[in-house]
Amino acid sequence: MSDNNFYITTPIYYVNDKPHIGHAYTSIICDIIARFKRLDGFDSYFLTGTDEHGQKIQKSAEELNISPEEFTDNISQKFVDLAEFLQLSNNDFIRTTQKRHHKAVKDLWQRLFDRGYIYTKDYEGWYAVKDEAYFAEDEVSKNENGQMIANETGAEVEWMKEPSYFFRLSEFTQPLLTYIEENPEFIFPNSRRNEVIKFIEQGLEDLCISRSSISWGINVPDDKEHVIYVWLDALTNYLTAVGYPDMESELYQKFWPADIHVVGKDILRFHAIYWPAFLMAAELPLPKQIVAHGWWTNEGKKISKRYGNVIDPIELVNTYGLDQCRYFMLREIPFGQDGDFSKSAMINRMNNDLANDLGNLGQRVLSMIYKNMDATIYDISNITDEDEALLNKAYDLFGIVKQRFENRSFHIAMQEVWYVVQAANQYVDAQAPWKLKKEDEKRMKVVLSVLAEVIRILFVLLQPVLPIGCEKMLNIINVSDRSFTTLNSKHALKKGHKIEKPLPIFAKYVEEVKE
Ligand code: MSP
């Protein structure tokens, strides 16, 4: 398999409610990584979709007195619309209600069964419909209303007893530990990796992988009484989308195993324990990395429908702009940790980093070139040490940013870019081209042309994060080749290169910030 293929996935989203900031966050992070890889010469395959089976969805549909099909069609469409609205570059949108997925799940089940990893027995235990998961006796307790709840998630649990199919997860305790140890990159970040190891070290119990109490799901092969556990069903989506069970298909050959599954910390366990265990049992290759991100709070408070503080991503983007939200999400929190959304932090990033630092740099330099140099780039083969120092900073940036992306330190990658943005702004102030205009016009032309070149580098490099602004800017400076192979002096703007009339790229948020 060629090394130039890259497969990244979001979790598939539950359709029991409309999309919120958490969904937009995961999707945007994946989109940024997918775009980065494409510009870096990879054939990048980006998957997102919806998780549509299970008791929770069946219940929600019943409450509305509509069929689960109608219910899931409606809400899945909201996620399709969100993907479009966020201009995600996803290559596919999978729905677990699709035929191709049913086929894949049944096939995976059969592989597990044929290899002796599935058996039947009676199951009883505390089941949380909200989490679609069973909890052990020591994982539940009574809340203040006398209702039994799962300690970890707060979800109500009920005692369930059903004849069930089991997966021999316990047999994978040691193989999983060995695998995680031998592949230190498998789970990111390290703190979460340690949590997973600790959990596995306690010993894994066999997993109940069927439900007889519900009908909204994929039937166990040859047994109409049971549907397949929704997590086994859902996790398989990553295989379905690349053509499984046809392992000779072009997509499967190119993209399996996946490079990254990006997930929220709450669903890491399913991805870092169940999923690799299913794949090991099925003798299929494991994804290369499971990346867990943190959770957003709203102005310091946990986001919950109960508090009425759910952030609607559409409203967010309509208020601040898409590039602005993408940048904020990437820049504001160390990836992997929890982060807080606050209006003042958002406006700060939008106005200072984007409008002032980056936007104004472009605007003032290009306006001067447009007005004072007949919109034409000058020769920069004869330059001073200061010029060269700035250019080198810009040319070195790609290597640094790429490294940071590989380490998933996205916020530091942005910091590194902004060091160069700041260096460029300092250079503008120090060189004062507006003064040179009268004193030394030739020097002014060199200075502004050096800056135009730095701007080219910055905006080519920032395309994955700020696709809209970068497209506008690269149109203004008339750069047609925008791939990362151009991030060097060989592709520098040439003498005589013409630019278009500059326009402001990043608007400022004008409303006064209330203290
Ligand atoms: N359907 C499962 C995933 C199956 S993947 C095979 C699911 N869906 S979900 O819709 O509930 O959650 C999707 C993602 O949104 C999760 O990764 C979750 O962590 C993320 N978020 C939900 N709320 C969030 C925040 N407040 N902040 C950041 N992300 C959060 O789980």
Side-chain angles (χ1 to χ4, degrees), residues 11-14 20 22-23 51 231 238 264 266-267 293-296:
I12 45 171
Y13 303 119
Y14 284 133
H20 60 71
H23 303 118
D51 183 356
W231 272 101
Y238 303 130
D266 52 316
I267 55 171
H293 65 68
W295 271 45
W296 286 93

Side-chain angles (χ1 to χ4, degrees), residues 342-353:
S342 79
K343 194 173 165 182
S344 62
M346 174 79 222
I347 294 173
N348 184 25
R349 293 278 173 214
M350 174 176 176
N351 287 358
N352 293 338
D353 297 13

Side-chain angles (χ1 to χ4, degrees), residues 131-172:
D131 303 322
E132 304 277 13
Y134 274 102
F135 288 89
E137 205 62 61
D138 59 352
E139 290 176 319
V140 297
S141 57
K142 257 192 193 150
N143 70 7
E144 61 269 24
N145 306 326
Q147 172 65 46
M148 291 302 283
I149 54 158
N151 300 334
E152 191 185 327
T153 62
E156 287 184 11
V157 293
E158 50 191 287
W159 189 255
M160 294 249 280
K161 180 173 176 180
E162 45 182 358
S164 300
Y165 290 85
F166 278 78
F167 171 69
R168 296 188 194 280
L169 182 64
S170 58
E171 288 190 18
F172 292 90

